[in-house]
Amino acid sequence: MEHVQQVEPFDYVIFGATGDLTMRKLLPALYNRLRMGQIPDDARIIGTARTDIDREGYVARAREALERFIPDDVRSPVLVDRFLKLVHYVTLDGTKADSDWGVLSTVLSDAPADRIRVYYFATAPQLYGSICENLHSQGLVTPHSRVVLEKPIGTDMATATAINDGVGQYFPENQIYRIDHYLGKETVQNVLALRFANPIMNAIWSGEQIESVQITAAETVGVEGRASYYDTSGAMRDMIQNHLLQVLCLVAMEAPDSLEADTVRNAKLAVLNALRPITDDTVAAETVRGQYTAGVVGGQSVPGYLEELGQPSNTETYAAIRAWVDTPRWKGVPFYIRTAKRSARKVSEIVIRFRSAPTTLFGSAPPENVLVIRVQPNEGIELHLNVKNPALDAYTLRTADLDTTIRMEGGLPFPDSYERLLLDAVRGNPILFIRRDEVEAAWRWAEPVLNAWSENKVPMQTYSAGSYGPETSAEMLAERGDKWHEDME
Ligand SMILES: NC(=O)C1=CN([C@@H]2O[C@H](COP(=O)(O)OP(=O)(O)OC[C@H]3O[C@@H](n4cnc5c(N)ncnc54)[C@H](OP(=O)(O)O)[C@@H]3O)[C@@H](O)[C@H]2O)C=CC1
Ligand SMILES: O=C1O[C@H](COP(=O)(O)O)[C@@H](O)[C@H](O)[C@H]1O
């Protein structure tokens, strides 16, 4: 059974309440937390969007979303009805001062003045600044208010600065929660436990013992219904600048002095600031980008990216980067990070390859030890060790795996990462949210790569849907005798 504590009563005001993210992720996550007993019955979820519907109409949409996105075995009619009693809707154009803010103000003023209020922005990020301005001028920003910002925070440094400035004018940094759902994943959070709660790991966690690090987030899906967003984004902006760099930070950071949010964020920031800049001179050697062509994924024929889009595009659906963290701990250790749409399989993982044993005792050098942190699916940790091959009389080696699957008690699936993060915003716990300087440091590193790619300084490769990506990606690793995980024996 999950150990849960009910949070204080709150008002969750969602801007963008009719959109895909709200229906697919936010409402189901809140339902699940109610189901687990964490949400009090006097909490309120107040959806807002321009669509002119009344509460009944919105509740009907929310019900449909729960029927679609909550599996039958955890959806009970009684709980759904209880959840929907918390749901309200206000028709509002968040960007317009003369929109009907009075209705939202009236609804909010029904609650005590010191009630926790979370404004969740599930709209296009360009709208965040003007929504904040209106919240402020309507007197709706209280000391107990916080704002959750969905990604992407900009498409480059300039746009990120504009968004952060726009929000920062009305909310102090400690009331701003920039969400990165990878930080809500259980096994990502486990990186800190693995590293710092286990002296045996801590002792070997540096370039003295580690040869290379791989961080992969590959998906079998294409761009689904989000082609218009994705084509302005691409793999680097969609996944690397945020999710994968955050994971890299957790793998590479120095031990924080405490689990206080800013202490951990300072440690992550130090890693981002230590990332070696990729320049016009190094970008072709250190990066690979590609687009999928038609292929077969999971036994199904799928079209290529350009066919799906119906127009030419210079947007990458695959990116692999050899990054370097210039700190004494990581001297000489490449961090390979990659992400792909329409990959052979869905997998997010961290793979640590250790240096080979300096021994000739067993003839040739034994294979390297490899530690795999499986973020998803089948969350767990495996360590490949060399053991004596019991099938042979001669003293030869074979690989044995120590493999632990991390499960919830009772074998329940892990809660979706949004469940943890949505309630952390209510609790006022920002540890799994990104601070402004982290976003900026990530853009500082990513932007030169994006500029070089847009100037075609790195050729756009192709890869068949259902493959592991362009061949040049494997070649980049082979230069240093490395292999992607799927190519390791
Ligand atoms: N969908 C996903 O899986 C993910 C989405 N995100 C981010 O979440 C945000 C929302 O994405 P998504 O749900 O896909 O987008 P959608 O286009 O599906 O939804 C956008 C929402 O914003 C509302 N909206 C648009 N303009 C205004 C306005 N002026 N005032 C108030 N509401 C407005 C729309 O409703 P209406 O037209 O009725 O006003 C709609 O509810 C984006 O920042 C996206 O990048 C991040 C990660 C994953
Ligand atoms: O933020 C995003 O993440 C998803 C992948 O998330 P995961 O939890 O399924 O690994 C990705 O599909 C989407 O394009 C991106 O915006």
Side-chain angles (χ1 to χ4, degrees):
M1 196 55 195
E2 240 183 283
H3 302 287
V4 292
Q5 240 186 339
Q6 197 168 81
V7 296
E8 283 184 44
F10 59 81
D11 285 339
Y12 232 105
V13 183
I14 303 176
F15 286 86
T18 54
D20 174 72
L21 183 74
T22 303
M23 295 297 165
R24 213 157 42 81
K25 290 286 185 184
L26 307 186
L27 295 179
L30 290 166
Y31 166 84
N32 276 329
R33 288 301 94 196
L34 175 108
R35 182 171 63 82
M36 298 313 297
Q38 274 190 296
I39 297 193
D41 282 327
D42 56 347
R44 295 186 299 176
I45 298 154
I46 305 162
T48 84
R50 293 166 307 175
T51 302
D52 190 9
I53 41 173
D54 57 11
R55 181 179 182 188
E56 213 176 33
Y58 186 71
V59 164
R61 288 190 189 198
R63 187 186 292 281
E64 239 171 71
L66 299 184
E67 275 164 11
R68 190 156 162 225
F69 298 114
I70 300 279
D72 290 350
D73 56 342
V74 289
R75 183 167 29 81
S76 100
V78 175
L79 282 179
V80 168
D81 285 343
R82 212 172 106 203
F83 176 77
L84 292 174
K85 282 208 179 85
L86 313 186
V87 173
H88 301 253
Y89 182 78
V90 177
T91 301
L92 183 66
D93 185 333
T95 62
K96 298 223 163 82
D98 59 358
S99 193
D100 206 351
W101 288 91
V103 180
L104 182 62
S105 299
T106 308
V107 175
L108 289 173
S109 65
D110 282 349
D114 62 350
R115 177 178 270 235
I116 293 161
R117 198 178 278 179
V118 182
Y119 293 113
Y120 195 109
F121 291 176
T123 66
Q126 310 83 273
L127 312 188
Y128 297 170
S130 48
I131 300 175
C132 286
E133 186 181 352
N134 289 323
L135 285 171
H136 171 78
S137 61
Q138 297 294 327
L140 296 177
V141 180
T142 65
H144 300 278
S145 300
R146 44 210 71 141
V147 60
V148 180
L149 308 184
E150 256 304 338
K151 65 166 268 253
I153 308 292
T155 51
D156 54 20
M157 181 66 103
T159 48
T161 304
I163 292 167
N164 284 324
D165 284 350
V167 176
Q169 247 183 296
Y170 305 104
F171 285 87
E173 181 63 27
N174 65 3
Q175 289 176 247
I176 303 175
Y177 289 64
R178 295 177 192 80
I179 202 161
D180 183 310
H181 78 277
Y182 263 63
L183 292 184
K185 289 185 190 288
E186 191 59 33
T187 328
V188 170
Q189 292 169 48
N190 232 317
V191 172
L192 294 193
L194 181 72
R195 286 189 58 194
F196 301 123
N198 296 293
I200 54 169
M201 287 293 161
N202 206 4
I204 56 172
W205 211 263
S206 75
E208 262 180 52
Q209 304 295 341
I210 292 176
E211 175 78 39
S212 68
V213 176
Q214 297 179 15
I215 300 171
T216 296
E219 302 180 85
T220 50
V221 294
V223 292
E224 298 178 292
R226 298 171 73 211
S228 60
Y229 151 75
Y230 194 86
D231 201 52
T232 59
S233 170
M236 178 71 152
R237 292 185 172 96
D238 191 47
M239 295 293 290
I240 292 186
Q241 185 273 345
N242 34 74
H243 305 316
L244 295 197
L245 284 188
Q246 283 294 319
V247 175
L248 182 149
C249 286
L250 297 177
V251 173
M253 74 191 199
E254 298 302 314
D257 292 335
S258 75
L259 287 183
E260 193 270 324
D262 274 333
T263 311
V264 174
R265 289 150 146 196
N266 289 342
K268 288 192 288 163
L269 181 66
V271 174
L272 292 166
N273 284 335
L275 280 172
R276 188 180 301 168
I278 297 177
T279 64
D280 279 358
D281 291 338
T282 58
V283 71
E286 307 283 46
T287 73
V288 173
R289 61 182 182 137
Q291 265 177 0
Y292 61 81
T293 54
V296 178
V297 181
Q300 293 235 303
S301 296
V302 297
Y305 178 65
L306 297 183
E307 292 156 69
E308 273 180 79
L309 198 64
Q311 61 188 51
S313 168
N314 198 29
T315 300
E316 76 287 352
T317 60
Y318 178 99
I321 298 186
R322 181 167 55 202
W324 302 90
V325 179
D326 283 333
T327 61
R329 179 184 293 276
W330 297 112
K331 194 169 174 0
V333 180
F335 282 73
Y336 301 108
I337 45 186
R338 67 174 165 167
T339 185
K341 294 279 186 198
R342 289 285 190 228
S343 183
R345 62 192 184 103
K346 173 149 178 95
V347 59
S348 296
E349 63 181 15
I350 302 161
V351 178
I352 312 282
R353 189 161 74 94
F354 292 91
R355 298 195 185 279
S356 11
T359 177
T360 50
L361 205 54
F362 306 100
S364 55
E368 298 93 3
N369 298 135
V370 176
L371 174 74
V372 182
I373 302 172
R374 294 190 303 263
V375 173
Q376 61 189 25
N378 190 20
E379 290 84 343
I381 295 171
E382 64 193 64
L383 178 61
H384 303 197
L385 296 172
N386 296 312
V387 297
K388 180 187 165 296
N389 191 339
L392 299 172
D393 291 337
Y395 220 114
T396 56
L397 301 175
R398 77 171 165 86
T399 303
D401 295 344
L402 291 182
D403 190 333
T404 171
T405 297
I406 301 173
R407 288 203 184 91
M408 303 274 292
E409 281 173 45
L412 296 170
F414 285 113
D416 185 83
S417 48
Y418 273 94
E419 294 180 36
R420 161 85 197 256
L421 297 171
L422 286 173
L423 288 205
D424 271 358
V426 173
R427 292 184 197 100
N429 178 8
I431 188 168
L432 299 176
F433 295 82
I434 320 276
R435 208 170 53 192
R436 175 176 182 156
D437 48 8
E438 293 178 77
V439 174
E440 291 173 348
W443 277 124
R444 206 168 293 123
W445 177 80
E447 199 173 66
V449 177
L450 286 162
N451 290 342
W453 286 359
S454 71
E455 290 160 20
N456 291 321
K457 290 187 172 136
V458 178
M460 180 70 82
Q461 307 290 337
T462 55
Y463 62 102
S464 304
S467 72
Y468 281 101
E471 277 174 18
T472 44
S473 178
E475 286 161 18
M476 179 170 76
L477 271 67
E479 282 166 18
R480 298 179 48 87
D482 280 314
K483 288 175 179 169
W484 287 117
H485 187 199
E486 65 274 7
D487 297 327
M488 294 177 182
E489 278 125 43

